[in-house]
Amino acid sequence: MTIQFNDESFRDDYTFHNSDWAIKRFPFPFHEDSYMYSVNMEQHKGGPEGSVYEMRFDVDEHYVSEMKDRALVLDQDPLRCQSLPHMTLAGWDLLELIMVSKSEDYPDLFELHRNGNQWRWINKPMGIDHSFTFMDETTLPYGPMEYITRQAQGDFVVLDQRDEMLWMDAGMVTTQADWSLDFDIGMNFFEWHAPVPKAHEMGIFKRALKFLLNIQQGAPARRLNWTMTVNPLLDTSPENYHQWGIQKTTLTPENIGHKQHLRVELQTFFRLPRSNALVFPIRCYLCSFQDLMTAPKWGRRLHRVIRDLPDELATYKGFIDNRPMMLDYLSQFDDGLPTSAGVWPDLETEPPLAK
Amino acid sequence: MSKFEFPKSIASRPVWGTLEPRQGEHHLMIADAEGAEAVLDIATPDLMAKTHLIYIPKGTDYVERLQALNPAQFYEGPSYEAALQRIRRVLEDAHMGLQVYLTGTEGMMGQAMNEVMTVGLPHTAIQTEHRGSAARRMQCVHCKGITEDVEVDPFVCSHCGLNLFVRDHYSRRLAAYQGVRVDAEDHGNLPEPKGIYE
Ligand code: HEM
């Protein structure tokens, strides 16, 4: 299908919106009526047609506006994109991976023409037609990682692998759930995960690291993570938290349906060929509560998950104060009926709200 | 009593050890404030005869006792920043086998550790021991400015003036903990500052 790109904002007047198409394909993260951390990883080898899992790098209606938002963030704070000196080769690897994947998966939107190291990259939605020499930084306006991730939705962290450990040595991070690349750069897997409650004690990070170290080229993996965001604000950074934190207090019973967003990250993991680095794209999807409630199954389930979530997780995710108001709202959409297994909305088979 | 028992914390937080005299022809000790006591504890005439000792008193009065140990070289610096060029110069000549001892405040040890790692010495050649103040070197996540020797939580960023709470999340690259606006969700509502470990 051809995508109609929205003209929308993720700040100030917040004109962000999801079409019916985007709502139906929203990566709802709960496969059952409760949630706890787990090593929830699977192969990233496609998914149902039209789903966010189908392509290696999903492109959707928010693409062009998200890239404008990223450019704004970088203008104000160049530290959101950093690469330690030894990571340039990995940047080229990433540029190649994204250009090849997008041109193969979306031939009507992206083209890549390669003649030896002479490459021509055409990005139609962003109006880019650029010839450059692969592996020659002087032929790009930015470093290779920055160049390509200014044209790809989601954050990107590039991990160096050495001493049986992953090191956060480069990244483009402007749509993060409240963590700082500038602070975390150079840390290892256990260090940057240090603030997460419970998961260390549960052994999750040890097992997850083992899995990641063994990811092979051509066999990417994926997982989902989620949190809550008031207003469709992409840049929930710690850097700007002194400005956006106050927005959490603007929720009211009247506006919660359109202000409160479930924020889901589709996280994927790809081994890069030349550098042996691992790239970790973190793609952020936002959906308002009222849009989620259009799928009766999601309404029932979200209520139960949020109600039963341990306080430590609600605190870490930053919505413990707003949880009672969320539950008042969500309980209207929970009639107590059972829900089908799995994440899909099952619109045809799940009963309408009996309330 | 200059030894402080840090409570158990998260994985990014540094863990400091206890100095022990090591074998070797060359030793570099960098100490500040009460770190002097850890040096005095391990000093032997033989060890000190092969030791370059760099010491930043920070208002304490250990200098005479340290000098009495007769280190091969002794330098007293008025601040870490002032001593830094000298530390770098000494590390330039560092060869494999140099034993490094860092002791005193977390802020000094964290920064000096980075200098030592930069010249490629293996971390097995570095020992640390915390002594004295448990104050923290803090980075404001908003303006990126560093505030040294923070003893209370919350504190005022010495650069942008925001009131920040003291996190345990620690960056070895910055040798600093993270400070985040404490009243971000309720402007002006400032908790009474308390000692960090109170
Ligand atoms: C190598 C790629 C990965 C990177 C770069 C990464 C990065 C991060 C970062 C920066 C945070 C925020 C920590 C903070 O509060 O400051 C986080 C949270 C978390 N990570 Fe990862 N992570 C990676 C892989 C994984 C994997 C494979 C798992 C598998 C279980 C995982 C599980 C989690 C969990 C459970 C949280 C807490 C999320 C929440 O409750 O909202 N991470 N990760």
Side-chain angles (χ1 to χ4, degrees):
Chain A
M1 68 167 276
T2 48
I3 304 168
Q4 292 293 321
F5 295 108
N6 299 345
D7 181 9
E8 59 190 358
S9 58
F10 301 87
R11 55 182 68 224
D12 306 327
D13 57 352
Y14 294 111
T15 58
F16 164 88
H17 55 283
N18 282 310
S19 66
D20 288 344
W21 172 72
I23 296 168
K24 285 202 187 74
R25 71 198 295 276
F26 183 75
F28 190 75
F30 308 114
H31 63 91
E32 57 187 6
D33 287 355
S34 63
Y35 176 81
M36 191 20 141
Y37 293 146
S38 62
V39 188
N40 55 335
M41 290 201 273
E42 59 177 10
Q43 294 304 309
H44 180 40
K45 46 181 182 200
E49 198 184 329
S51 74
V52 303
Y53 310 103
E54 184 184 6
M55 307 304 189
R56 284 165 282 187
F57 297 92
D58 182 49
V59 175
D60 69 7
E61 63 193 28
H62 307 297
Y63 176 47
V64 176
S65 293
E66 279 188 28
M67 294 301 96
K68 284 189 186 141
D69 196 72
R70 165 155 296 161
L72 277 175
V73 173
L74 291 170
D75 280 350
Q76 288 162 13
D77 184 1
L79 293 174
R80 303 299 189 83
C81 181
Q82 295 190 49
S83 178
L84 297 182
H86 60 280
M87 296 304 281
T88 307
L89 182 61
W92 284 110
D93 275 336
L94 178 61
L95 175 142
E96 176 187 54
L97 175 69
I98 294 178
M99 286 187 178
V100 169
S101 303
K102 283 193 166 186
S103 59
E104 288 175 0
D105 293 349
Y106 300 92
D108 52 332
L109 301 179
F110 305 96
E111 290 175 27
L112 179 64
H113 305 279
R114 287 180 284 185
N115 180 6
N117 278 345
Q118 298 308 307
W119 291 24
R120 180 175 173 208
W121 165 245
I122 301 174
N123 175 339
K124 291 182 193 165
M126 291 181 72
I128 293 169
D129 181 343
H130 188 174
S131 297
F132 64 96
T133 309
F134 186 65
M135 296 288 224
D136 180 355
E137 276 188 84
T138 62
T139 60
L140 290 178
Y142 308 101
M145 177 189 73
E146 177 165 359
Y147 178 75
I148 196 57
T149 56
R150 279 176 177 266
Q151 301 179 45
Q153 285 166 278
D155 286 342
F156 290 81
V157 178
V158 191
L159 298 313
D160 196 21
Q161 182 161 328
R162 47 179 204 273
D163 309 331
E164 290 292 288
M165 180 49 80
L166 292 170
W167 303 85
M168 188 186 286
D169 285 351
M172 165 68 90
V173 177
T174 67
T175 69
Q176 64 290 286
D178 206 3
W179 64 277
S180 165
L181 171 73
D182 181 55
F183 194 78
D184 286 4
I185 195 168
M187 289 190 192
N188 72 37
F189 190 81
F190 297 122
E191 290 171 340
W192 80 65
H193 278 123
V196 180
K198 283 182 181 286
H200 293 269
E201 296 87 312
M202 292 167 71
I204 284 177
F205 290 125
K206 275 214 176 80
R207 277 180 286 142
L209 175 63
K210 205 168 164 212
F211 183 99
L212 296 179
L213 291 173
N214 288 310
I215 285 181
Q216 305 295 316
Q217 201 194 321
R222 69 182 174 221
R223 67 182 289 266
L224 294 177
N225 188 41
W226 67 277
T227 187
M228 291 286 177
T229 304
V230 175
N231 292 327
L233 175 62
L234 272 182
D235 181 27
T236 46
S237 57
E239 278 81 358
N240 288 335
Y241 169 69
H242 60 306
Q243 291 161 348
W244 62 261
I246 198 81
Q247 294 182 27
K248 291 194 200 175
T249 63
T250 61
L251 272 194
T252 66
E254 291 70 43
N255 67 24
I256 187 167
H258 71 267
K259 254 188 188 295
Q260 182 63 56
H261 289 70
L262 177 60
R263 181 187 193 105
V264 176
E265 294 174 349
L266 170 57
Q267 309 181 335
T268 50
F269 307 87
F270 296 81
R271 177 72 59 198
L272 297 174
R274 296 171 190 78
S275 56
N276 197 42
L278 197 72
V279 63
F280 179 54
I282 312 157
R283 173 64 184 281
C284 170
Y285 295 86
L286 294 162
C287 191
S288 68
F289 271 18
Q290 69 187 22
D291 285 348
L292 285 168
M293 297 304 112
T294 59
K297 170 178 165 182
W298 290 353
R300 294 180 179 107
R301 181 164 291 169
L302 189 60
H303 173 244
R304 297 167 197 176
V305 167
I306 300 305
R307 182 191 60 201
D308 300 339
L309 192 75
D311 284 357
E312 275 162 290
L313 271 69
T315 302
Y316 174 74
K317 290 173 187 286
F319 66 86
I320 189 98
D321 292 346
N322 284 333
R323 174 151 73 172
M325 204 191 298
M326 289 178 183
L327 291 176
D328 282 346
Y329 175 85
L330 293 171
S331 61
Q332 307 171 70
F333 300 90
D334 187 359
D335 51 17
L337 290 181
T339 53
S340 57
V343 294
W344 309 106
D346 299 330
L347 291 169
E348 272 73 50
T349 48
E350 287 287 280
L353 184 66
K355 233 183 165 175
Chain B
M1 183 61 207
S2 70
K3 272 243 176 220
F4 178 78
E5 285 294 323
F6 290 102
K8 197 174 173 318
S9 187
I10 63 175
S12 58
R13 200 182 183 308
V15 180
W16 312 109
T18 303
L19 299 187
E20 283 173 15
R22 290 233 176 113
Q23 299 297 319
E25 285 311 301
H26 301 280
H27 303 260
L28 172 64
M29 296 184 185
I30 307 177
D32 71 352
E34 281 82 5
E37 293 185 5
V39 174
L40 290 164
D41 283 355
I42 59 163
T44 59
D46 182 48
L47 174 65
M48 295 318 284
K50 300 179 216 157
T51 293
H52 185 165
L53 174 57
I54 293 178
Y55 182 63
I56 299 135
K58 292 189 111 174
T60 59
D61 58 1
Y62 294 95
V63 170
E64 277 178 24
R65 274 180 280 168
L66 291 174
Q67 275 173 324
L69 299 173
N70 289 321
Q73 267 178 282
F74 180 77
Y75 165 74
E76 178 190 341
S79 68
Y80 178 77
E81 289 68 30
L84 182 57
Q85 296 312 319
R86 183 180 183 106
I87 291 171
R88 288 194 176 141
R89 177 66 190 83
V90 172
L91 287 170
E92 244 174 53
D93 289 348
H95 23 66
M96 283 301 152
L98 177 73
Q99 292 295 331
V100 179
Y101 307 73
L102 308 175
T103 175
T105 62
E106 291 196 290
M108 184 282 288
M109 289 191 287
Q111 293 176 85
M113 177 92 78
N114 282 343
E115 298 298 329
V116 180
M117 300 295 282
T118 305
V119 298
L121 284 179
H123 58 82
T124 49
I126 311 169
Q127 299 183 67
T128 60
E129 180 167 339
H130 174 264
R131 291 281 182 130
S133 162
R136 295 184 177 188
R137 181 175 142 91
M138 299 295 308
Q139 189 201 37
C140 171
V141 76
H142 310 296
C143 80
K144 308 291 182 189
I146 298 269
T147 304
E148 303 281 352
D149 297 321
V150 171
E151 287 178 345
V152 293
D153 175 20
F155 70 102
V156 178
C157 173
S158 61
H159 302 263
C160 70
L162 284 175
N163 290 277
L164 308 179
F165 71 91
V166 172
R167 290 190 72 189
D168 283 341
H169 201 22
Y170 179 85
S171 159
R172 283 191 283 163
R173 181 181 73 94
L174 300 167
Y177 293 86
Q178 192 177 70
V180 178
R181 180 170 184 182
V182 67
D183 57 337
E185 297 181 25
D186 189 2
H187 295 180
N189 182 4
L190 301 172
E192 202 49 43
K194 287 199 305 197
I196 289 176
Y197 295 96
E198 270 170 40

